[in-house]
Amino acid sequence: MTDLFDNAATESLRLDLRLSHEVIRRLRNRLLKRFLPDFAVLADFAVTADVPESHHLKLHCLELSQRYDSQIDGATKLLFRTEAGLPIETVILRIATGRTTLCLSSQVGCAAACEFCATGHMGIAQNLSAAQILDQVVQVGQLLTTEQRQLHNIVFMGMGEPFHNQQNLFEAIECLTDTRKFSRAPGSLLVSTVGIPEAMVRCAQRFPSVNLALSLHSVDQEVRQSMIPLARKFQLPEIKRALTEMNRLQKRPVMLEYLMLRGINDSLEQAQQLAAWTHDINVHINLIPFNPIDDAPHLQGSSSEVIQQFSGSLKNAGLKVTTRYSLGTDIAAACGQLVRQVTRPT
Ligand code: SF4
């Protein structure tokens, strides 16, 4: 079987089946740019019975097994399974402005084991291939086509720490921005990380227009590592150096994600510490109300008054601040909630 993301394999198939370059170009345009249904993609690609299976064209490597639509907002969670039967969740966010964002998974499970995240409590991690990452885009794109909606932004914020799967992540970004394949604007992509400094800088060097979001959550080393075990290894001074270097490479703000947890990181004093820590770097702070998970019943979200005061304090210090309200909380599709419900009995 051959997949359309793989240049060498597609070229070999083209030669074996004596297809013109034009046939391959049309196939890719229909599937990767226009997200047409499979039958339309294959309209002029007749596979005859005497063609061995190794030369069949493969449009998908994930099987869609379930779909959950939010009853309260425009979120949809799709549960895919790999050929080995492993679950992957992908979220579509139909935002009120009319824009649509796709939240992709880069791994099954996640080894980063963040305290506040259901995926991190799965205790397993397996890298998705570039094709498995990209098939999430293709199948979501096809679904949106049936709704006459366009896909605007793609964020690597689903299951997994993308930089733990760096090679496949970079290959997927290459395909997404390649004008012969998905042809997406690099600025419409965002990679979210808990903070692996070398990889952050490498990503900014290789894809300077791709956006990056760092899950910071605290500028107190002890507090941060109680939330993100990986923070013990990659400490705040190293993270700060990486952010400074990214500012130099990208010349625009880096997004800092800050999950608002009651009594842990939401005091006004902590807001002032955050303002002081960021005074010499170009950042945009995104405050995130916490979505409860069963695995961490001791964690509670800050109240909306506290979030407002925290935000006000940062703004008074001259920082750019927004608050992100998650979609899909009723279908466990919000940030940090992915996959627990399909891997364990409830
Ligand atoms: S928040 Fe992200 S990096 Fe942390 S455990 Fe969850 S999926 Fe992994």
Side-chain angles (χ1 to χ4, degrees):
M1 303 282 270
T2 305
D3 77 55
L4 275 173
F5 314 126
D6 183 330
N7 285 340
T10 307
E11 179 59 7
S12 148
L13 175 88
R14 190 189 71 75
L15 292 171
D16 287 342
L17 297 182
R18 297 201 179 93
L19 299 172
S20 68
H21 286 288
E22 179 56 19
V23 170
I24 298 295
R25 193 190 65 76
R26 270 205 306 270
L27 274 169
R28 281 186 166 148
N29 274 354
R30 287 172 183 166
L31 187 69
L32 310 182
K33 292 183 185 166
R34 297 169 62 200
F35 300 126
L36 296 183
D38 290 357
F39 72 85
V41 172
L42 294 170
D44 53 6
F45 186 83
V47 178
T48 53
D50 58 342
V51 173
E53 200 184 331
S54 60
H55 286 160
H56 288 186
L57 191 67
K58 184 179 177 183
L59 297 188
H60 304 291
C61 55
L62 297 176
E63 187 193 336
L64 178 60
S65 73
Q66 260 167 317
R67 170 180 174 160
Y68 307 86
D69 291 299
S70 170
Q71 300 305 307
I72 56 173
D73 55 42
T76 294
K77 180 167 73 173
L78 302 177
L79 171 64
F80 292 106
R81 294 212 178 260
T82 66
E83 278 163 6
L86 296 171
I88 302 170
E89 291 190 352
T90 306
V91 179
I92 303 170
L93 303 165
R94 300 176 192 80
I95 299 160
T97 57
R99 296 182 73 77
T100 308
T101 294
L102 161 60
C103 181
L104 284 183
S105 290
S106 55
Q107 296 185 297
V108 179
C110 185
C114 299
E115 176 67 5
F116 49 82
C117 172
T119 309
H121 285 267
M122 285 173 69
I124 53 164
Q126 186 167 317
N127 287 340
L128 296 182
S129 66
Q132 288 169 331
I133 294 172
L134 294 168
D135 196 25
Q136 296 170 70
V137 182
V138 171
Q139 296 205 41
V140 165
Q142 289 179 314
L143 190 152
L144 292 174
T145 299
T146 65
E147 300 174 10
Q148 280 91 46
R149 284 187 87 95
Q150 284 192 355
L151 176 58
H152 296 96
N153 297 312
I154 298 176
V155 298
F156 289 84
M157 279 191 177
M159 296 165 66
E161 161 54 54
F163 290 137
H164 279 165
N165 186 13
Q166 192 179 182
Q167 190 179 338
N168 294 339
L169 168 75
F170 284 0
E171 197 184 319
I173 294 175
E174 291 283 5
C175 278
L176 287 169
T177 53
D178 185 337
T179 51
R180 293 160 304 169
K181 296 179 185 166
F182 290 85
S183 199
R184 320 271 331 165
S188 69
L189 309 180
L190 182 143
V191 177
S192 174
T193 176
V194 286
I196 301 179
E198 267 186 27
M200 289 159 60
V201 172
R202 242 190 328 268
C203 188
Q205 282 167 336
R206 188 157 163 186
F207 306 107
S209 300
V210 168
N211 298 298
L212 196 132
L214 165 71
S215 296
L216 183 65
H217 307 325
S218 176
V219 291
D220 178 306
Q221 181 61 33
E222 290 294 317
V223 174
R224 187 163 192 268
Q225 67 193 34
S226 74
M227 299 164 74
I228 306 171
L230 212 58
R232 282 192 193 94
K233 186 167 172 195
F234 303 114
Q235 302 214 349
L236 284 163
E238 220 188 320
I239 297 276
K240 181 80 174 278
R241 278 195 291 279
L243 292 171
T244 306
E245 179 60 7
M246 288 173 61
N247 279 168
R248 191 186 69 75
L249 291 164
Q250 297 186 308
K251 303 197 174 19
R252 60 198 155 80
V254 180
M255 178 84 77
L256 298 186
E257 308 279 6
Y258 197 99
L259 190 62
M260 294 294 294
L261 291 171
R262 185 181 304 176
I264 294 180
N265 64 353
D266 65 351
S267 71
L268 285 180
E269 193 191 345
Q270 284 162 316
Q272 283 153 15
Q273 286 166 356
L274 175 58
W277 195 81
T278 54
H279 84 280
D280 54 353
I281 47 178
N282 186 8
V283 293
H284 179 127
I285 296 173
N286 202 13
L287 302 178
I288 309 171
F290 175 61
N291 302 303
I293 57 168
D294 293 346
D295 295 288
H298 56 289
L299 295 180
Q300 292 183 330
S302 311
S303 67
S304 47
E305 295 78 48
V306 167
I307 295 176
Q308 263 179 18
Q309 287 164 7
F310 196 93
S311 168
S313 168
L314 295 174
K315 283 179 184 161
N316 287 340
L319 286 161
K320 299 176 211 88
V321 189
T322 44
T323 302
R324 181 172 85 213
Y325 289 95
S326 296
L327 302 186
T329 49
D330 62 325
I331 51 170
C335 299
Q337 292 186 315
L338 291 187
V339 105
R340 180 187 178 279
Q341 294 185 350
V342 294
T343 53
R344 298 183 196 175
T346 48

